[in-house]
Amino acid sequence: AGATAREKLEYLHSYDKVKQTTFDGGHGVQGLCQVNRQVSRLAVPDADSRRKQSLHWRKKCSSAETVKITVGNTVHEKAVKASSKDTLDKNLGVAEDRTQQIYDIMDAPF
């Protein structure tokens, strides 16, 4: 239970960083939604259907899914920080590729 609580706190911290960076960069709600959707789809393949079922679907994620979302948030936060309004889409594409590479390493057998 302690590990799960820590993972959720780390997720919340990573989300807050993405949110703050997105708004500080002038990308607004639209940019934040774009980042959230991309991170969610990468970490949780059925994220869109879960989102339709519940607004609080992330609270029901497994431990592994929460870790993946946290990692995705961290990578995407760096992409948003390096982006202007003109380069956000391009940088999110790079972040998507990098995040997927990290997930592939995480999912590989040891």
Side-chain angles (χ1 to χ4, degrees), residues 18 22 26-37 80 88 92:
V18 168
T22 302
H27 304 292
V29 173
Q30 184 177 4
L32 182 60
C33 289
Q34 188 176 359
V35 170
N36 281 335
R37 176 158 276 129
V80 170
L88 181 63
L92 288 181

Side-chain angles (χ1 to χ4, degrees), residues 87-108:
T87 61
L88 181 63
D89 288 336
K90 177 182 157 255
N91 288 346
L92 288 181
V94 172
E96 180 178 16
D97 293 341
R98 290 180 181 175
T99 301
Q100 189 59 56
Q101 289 172 346
I102 293 168
Y103 291 168
D104 290 343
I105 291 168
M106 290 170 64
D107 293 338

Side-chain angles (χ1 to χ4, degrees), residues 1-17 66 70 73:
T4 301
R6 186 179 70 244
E7 288 166 0
K8 290 186 186 216
L9 286 172
E10 289 169 351
Y11 156 72
L12 289 173
H13 177 71
S14 71
Y15 175 77
D16 287 342
K17 291 278 291 174
T66 300
T70 303
N73 281 342

